[in-house]
Amino acid sequence: MILGGVGICGALAACGGQSSSEDEETGPLRGTVTMWSSFTQGPRADWMKKMAEEFHTKNPDVTVKIEQFSWSEFNTKWTTGLTAGQVPDISTALPNNVVEMINSEALVPLDKVIDSIGRDRFPKPALAEGQSDGKSYSVPIYSHAQVMWYRTDVLQSKGLSVPTTWDELATAAKAIGKSDDLYGLSVPLGTGDMLGARYLNFYVRSAGQRLLKDDGTANLTSEPALNGIKYWTDLYKSVSPEGSLDYAVLDQATLFYQGKTAFDFNSGFHISGVATNRPDLVDSIAAAPLPRMKATDPVNYPAEVSNVPLVVWEASKVKREAKAFLEFLFTKDKYIEFLHSVPGGMLPVLSDISQDSTYLGNETIQKYSDSIKVIQDQVDVGSAIGMEKGPLVQAGVLTGQGLIEKMYHSIIIDGSDVETAAKDCEKKLNEAFKAAGASIK
């Protein structure tokens, strides 16, 4: 019902609103703004709490209440909350969430906020991910992209070069092998997360295709898609921890943080993760572009980019206050402080900030400048999974229902034939697309 966009939000009551429900009201800001934040890591969480306190100091009649949920918790929280009438006034989101939220008529346009911050400062593709019918329903606050991370010390000890192709990666990962102390690579396939779809997307994108066909239906039975499914199934069996069949994002990342994988795919958040867990390895990690089919293929091809946004909910009774708090977060010095809370993990969405000497002067950003450039190069060409041609409802289904991950389970656990499992998954995805109200030609 939620994904079908049945327009139930008009009857909802926001959690925190104690003030006027009229967005256009003038006069002092007042009321309680409830924010659901998935910025749960220490430094980011501390920054958000500090911003709430500073906003209250500036606006004494406004209290900002921060409630934290992990990204996976948030996905369940907002979908069930929308039905129950328990949604926040403002929240973080993921691009694929935003498409579903727009489809459910759950958000308010934020064009005035964007114009006030400076529309020309934002990348057009980042804004486009939250647009519908000429209106913007989300404001991106930072960007990051998936790249290949590797252990320089492990490769050196094994006499291996940095892989540039999928074949080279498989060869290197198998040469490193798997043990309790070090795995060549982990292949995460937990059904409660989107990593199976993410890894398959890498492979399919490197072949010049997408997980969606031009008509909006799923693409799992093309030659590149089938080859990708076989590729990751083989690497799971040969070099991955058995438990990775159930891994979510944090499980997967923690292996690299602890120095237990030689290769991994992630964003610049790996820098702070390794620094916190294995400070002895901070000089032994680096990022490289995603592997490609052939070494002669272009180094950077469109793969996965996340432009992480903030949204204001239609059900809110303090929309004006929520929008004011959102804009407050982009105050220059405060915004740079936010980016520096996880340096290299969050790249600025504002073009002038990316060139600002205060932002660039951070020690970690300088230390990992080569790796950060690799990430930025991917940001410049990629998009969210399934949104390569703009916001589509299918994008949320691809990454939010675990169907691709369940397909891998069928192959690995049940011994299903790859072609049969892929065909079955493709059918289930197309059915889910239609149930979600997706437009299919």
Side-chain angles (χ1 to χ4, degrees):
M1 178 174 65
I2 294 168
L3 297 180
V6 294
I8 61 173
C9 50
L12 300 179
C15 320
Q18 297 177 359
S19 182
S20 170
S21 62
E22 295 297 324
D23 187 33
E24 294 79 15
E25 182 188 343
T26 58
L29 300 175
R30 64 180 70 244
T32 298
V33 176
T34 296
M35 178 176 186
W36 287 357
S37 173
S38 291
F39 300 154
T40 57
Q41 295 97 331
R44 294 202 299 180
D46 292 344
W47 178 84
M48 188 59 75
K49 180 181 178 182
K50 178 182 176 183
M51 291 305 99
E53 293 170 350
E54 291 188 9
F55 189 75
H56 174 68
T57 299
K58 187 176 180 180
N59 303 277
D61 293 329
V62 180
T63 298
V64 180
K65 180 182 177 183
I66 307 294
E67 298 179 359
Q68 293 184 346
F69 301 97
S70 69
W71 289 114
S72 58
E73 288 177 315
F74 173 75
N75 189 58
T76 301
K77 185 78 175 176
W78 85 260
T79 51
T80 57
L82 192 61
T83 303
Q86 296 296 321
V87 294
D89 302 297
I90 181 175
S91 74
T92 53
L94 292 175
N96 293 345
N97 298 147
V98 174
V99 178
E100 299 174 16
M101 293 168 179
I102 293 173
N103 196 48
S104 300
E105 301 179 2
L107 305 178
V108 298
L110 296 172
D111 290 285
K112 289 183 180 179
V113 174
I114 293 170
D115 289 337
S116 181
I117 296 170
R119 185 174 294 270
D120 291 342
R121 301 169 74 193
F122 291 93
K124 289 182 179 180
L127 291 178
E129 291 181 349
Q131 292 174 339
S132 178
D133 295 329
K135 297 179 180 179
S136 299
Y137 291 87
S138 65
V139 182
I141 190 169
Y142 71 88
S143 297
H144 65 75
Q146 298 293 309
V147 295
M148 183 179 73
W149 288 88
Y150 63 96
R151 287 272 301 279
T152 58
D153 57 330
V154 173
L155 266 60
Q156 183 177 6
S157 68
K158 298 286 186 178
L160 298 169
S161 300
V162 179
T164 60
T165 68
W166 293 112
D167 286 344
E168 289 176 0
L169 174 62
T171 298
K174 289 177 181 179
I176 295 166
K178 62 178 180 179
S179 67
D180 291 338
D181 297 323
L182 183 66
Y183 296 89
L185 177 75
S186 174
V187 182
L189 300 171
T191 57
D193 217 320
M194 56 172 281
L195 297 183
R198 168 176 287 168
Y199 278 42
L200 181 58
N201 183 66
F202 294 154
Y203 195 96
V204 171
R205 294 299 283 143
S206 72
Q209 293 193 14
R210 301 179 296 130
L211 290 181
L212 293 176
K213 300 174 186 175
D214 289 343
D215 64 0
T217 59
N219 171 30
L220 264 69
T221 55
S222 66
E223 183 178 356
L226 290 172
N227 287 341
I229 296 167
K230 293 173 184 176
Y231 180 87
W232 292 117
T233 299
D234 172 64
L235 281 181
Y236 169 80
K237 293 178 178 179
S238 57
V239 300
S240 186
E242 243 180 81
S244 66
L245 199 64
D246 297 315
Y247 279 4
V249 168
L250 184 58
D251 303 309
Q252 174 74 2
T254 298
L255 278 187
F256 193 80
Y257 296 167
Q258 295 176 343
K260 293 184 177 181
T261 44
F263 295 101
D264 194 25
F265 296 96
N266 211 305
S267 66
F269 280 89
H270 266 10
I271 296 171
S272 60
V274 172
T276 299
N277 289 270
R278 287 291 303 272
D280 57 309
L281 295 179
V282 294
D283 294 323
S284 301
I285 62 167
L290 295 170
R292 42 201 191 271
M293 288 296 174
K294 303 188 298 292
T296 54
D297 289 344
V299 172
N300 285 300
Y301 55 86
E304 185 187 350
V305 170
S306 291
N307 299 297
V308 177
L310 301 173
V311 297
V312 173
W313 291 75
E314 174 63 39
S316 173
K317 294 182 179 179
V318 285
K319 296 184 183 72
R320 195 164 64 99
E321 289 76 9
K323 291 178 181 179
F325 180 60
L326 194 163
E327 186 173 338
F328 178 74
L329 300 180
F330 283 87
T331 307
K332 181 179 177 180
D333 59 334
K334 303 181 193 306
Y335 183 56
I336 291 176
E337 184 181 337
F338 171 64
L339 299 171
H340 283 172
S341 69
V342 191
M346 301 184 296
L347 303 188
V349 291
L350 303 180
S351 56
D352 53 309
I353 299 299
S354 65
Q355 303 300 319
D356 186 270
S357 59
T358 302
Y359 165 71
L360 293 172
N362 176 269
E363 182 180 352
T364 300
I365 291 173
Q366 292 181 342
K367 177 181 177 67
Y368 292 96
S369 59
D370 290 344
S371 293
I372 292 173
K373 183 180 185 305
V374 171
I375 300 168
Q376 184 63 60
D377 288 345
Q378 181 58 224
V379 167
D380 292 341
V381 300
S383 69
I385 297 174
M387 296 176 67
E388 298 85 4
K389 294 195 174 183
L392 292 175
V393 173
Q394 292 94 317
V397 177
L398 279 170
T399 59
Q401 296 196 15
L403 293 174
I404 291 176
E405 290 73 18
K406 291 174 184 175
M407 173 195 68
Y408 279 110
H409 283 218
S410 175
I411 295 167
I412 294 169
I413 298 175
D414 302 331
S416 298
D417 174 74
V418 169
E419 287 79 3
T420 302
K423 185 176 181 180
D424 179 62
C425 184
E426 191 173 79
K427 179 183 177 182
K428 290 177 179 176
L429 282 169
N430 289 333
E431 290 171 349
F433 294 162
K434 291 178 182 178
S439 175
I440 295 176
K441 299 177 182 178

